[in-house]
Amino acid sequence: MPEPSGGRPVQSLQRAFDLLDDLADAGGRATLSELAAASGLPVATIHRLLSTLVELGHVRREPGRRYALGPRLVRLGDAAGRVLGDGVRPVLADLVARTGESANLAGLDGSSAVYLAQVPSPHPMRMFTEVGAHVPLHCTGVGKALLSTVEASLARALVERAGMPARTPSTIVDVVTLDREIRLGLDRGWHVDDGEQEVGVRCVAVPVPGAPTPCAVSVSGPAARLGLDRMEVVGALLRDAARRISDQLTGAAPAADARADRVPEGTSR
């Protein structure tokens, strides 16, 4: 059977998935009027699409004309998470072998970051974050990397919506300073949480280029081990890992050896 040819997306299907994204952005539940404001679609169109999604189990009705993400999405999410974890785990394991620290993949989920996969450090004292856990954007390396992938106005809206509470004395708590920090990260090629979420912990992160949805890859560990003198080397390793993960997420065939930032074995420690 011939492969389907490329063409324009099916509008009703695209709108249905956009509505699911709008529901997720609203915290998982919203009214028809809220979805209309978010999507720009007529209420009648939204109602028709939601009725189909309700029948399929992807959305459920709640009292007060509210709609919520449905139970069938849990199975899809679990399966997608397992497949994603299986695909990126070798890349994260390579990062752990080269840096000695825990390696993570995170994605943008509303106004926070969510951990999608992790390979922990072999050290007894290590950073461990549960897959599925959410962390703030303003005080984490992955959060800053994710914010660097969106327009400045949207980045500001996301952190203002979530708030910028001080987690440690080093936490950045104003959007102007945070914007400056994100620009600095873009210029040098890596973003860092230098004890801003947890005292004594450092996290270095880079965004995954070309990802279908904003993603970032990071390594994290005690600041005593993950010193500032290692940032350039670790940043280069992360950029290489991000390109490899991007190839997996986009289905691109990796080049034979296009790892310009690849650091020879033994130089990362």
Side-chain angles (χ1 to χ4, degrees):
M1 188 172 181
E3 289 288 330
S5 59
R8 296 176 63 86
V10 178
Q11 187 181 61
S12 59
L13 187 61
Q14 182 172 337
R15 285 177 169 178
F17 278 105
D18 286 344
L19 281 177
L20 292 175
D21 283 339
D22 290 335
L23 273 172
D25 290 342
R29 49 170 52 88
T31 63
L32 278 173
S33 59
E34 288 168 342
L35 289 172
S39 66
L41 295 174
V43 170
T45 300
I46 295 173
H47 187 270
R48 195 161 54 244
L49 292 169
L50 287 175
S51 295
T52 300
L53 290 171
V54 167
E55 288 182 16
L56 294 172
H58 298 309
V59 172
R60 59 187 175 84
R61 290 189 183 91
E62 291 189 331
R65 300 189 67 187
R66 295 175 68 85
Y67 291 83
L69 295 174
R72 195 166 183 184
L73 293 175
V74 175
R75 182 174 66 89
L76 295 176
D78 286 345
R82 285 194 300 273
V83 171
L84 176 63
D86 291 344
V88 305
R89 197 166 288 114
V91 180
L92 299 182
D94 184 49
L95 272 175
V96 173
R98 290 174 175 273
T99 66
E101 305 301 341
S102 299
N104 318 278
L105 179 70
L108 184 63
D109 186 15
S111 55
S112 65
V114 59
Y115 283 102
L116 304 172
Q118 183 187 71
V119 174
S121 164
H123 292 291
M125 182 180 293
R126 62 191 180 190
M127 301 305 107
F128 180 79
T129 302
E130 201 170 318
V131 172
H134 287 73
V135 293
L137 297 173
H138 71 290
C139 62
T140 58
V142 291
K144 294 175 187 177
L146 291 169
L147 289 172
S148 75
T149 68
V150 302
E151 293 289 336
S153 58
L154 176 57
R156 179 181 291 249
L158 290 173
V159 295
E160 288 181 341
R161 182 193 308 166
M164 300 179 66
R167 297 299 183 94
T168 74
S170 300
T171 303
I172 295 173
V173 293
D174 68 274
V175 291
V176 174
T177 304
L178 180 61
D179 180 66
R180 188 161 56 242
E181 175 75 6
I182 292 171
R183 290 177 184 275
L184 174 62
L186 286 169
D187 289 340
R188 68 191 173 198
W190 45 268
H191 302 266
V192 64
D193 152 22
D194 196 2
E196 297 163 48
Q197 185 188 23
E198 187 175 346
V199 174
V201 174
R202 187 170 284 132
C203 175
V204 193
V206 302
V208 175
T213 186
C215 291
V217 60
S218 71
V219 294
S220 54
R225 283 202 313 257
L226 194 55
L228 292 174
D229 59 324
R230 299 180 61 194
M231 295 297 98
E232 289 291 345
V233 171
V234 172
L237 291 169
L238 284 166
R239 288 192 294 274
D240 172 55
R243 284 195 296 269
R244 294 163 65 190
I245 291 172
S246 176
D247 289 340
Q248 292 191 19
L249 296 181
T250 60
D257 193 3
R259 301 179 186 179
D261 291 323
R262 185 54 125 181
V263 179
E265 197 74 49
T267 62
S268 63
R269 292 177 183 270

